[in-house]
Amino acid sequence: MRLRRAAKGVGRFLVEACGEVVGEAVLSVLACVLLGGLALIAYLSWSFSPRFTIAGAGLLSLVLAHGAWQAFRDPTKRHRRGFAALTAAAFTVTAATALFLLLYGPGCGCL
């Protein structure tokens, strides 16, 4: 009976360890693909028009700054509507993507 319980425990440990290794590999590949996609977008945008690239980066910075302001200011009784909700969501998605790349990007061998 003890041998069977020990074998089940070892089996569960192996399945969990293999799952973590596969999960880490999938997240690292996803980070490499995302990093490559962002680099490709920046390269194509710059090769198309450097002025539009800088203007777009400035506009994106303003939108993200407004979203951060909306996300971190004191809540009011009203819900966010329209542009404020859109910029807050854009900031949240961008912050989550940056955190993901910060955690899994350095493990990417493509850099």
Side-chain angles (χ1 to χ4, degrees), residues 7-104:
K8 283 184 181 181
V10 168
R12 269 190 245 126
F13 170 75
L14 287 175
V15 167
E16 186 175 326
C18 289
E20 286 183 16
V21 168
V22 168
E24 287 285 328
V26 167
L27 288 175
S28 293
V29 167
L30 184 62
C32 284
V33 168
L34 182 61
L35 219 80
L38 289 173
L40 180 66
I41 288 171
Y43 172 75
L44 292 176
S45 176
W46 189 263
S47 66
F48 176 69
S49 174
R51 289 181 183 164
F52 284 150
T53 302
I54 292 173
L59 183 63
L60 182 64
S61 297
L62 287 174
V63 167
L64 292 177
H66 184 263
W69 179 65
Q70 287 293 322
F72 291 119
R73 73 179 193 163
D74 291 334
T76 59
K77 293 180 181 179
R78 301 174 129 191
H79 295 289
R80 290 187 193 104
R81 292 202 172 120
F83 186 69
L86 181 69
T87 58
F91 170 74
T92 304
V93 168
T94 304
T97 303
L99 181 64
F100 172 74
L101 287 176
L102 182 68
L103 293 175
Y104 290 102

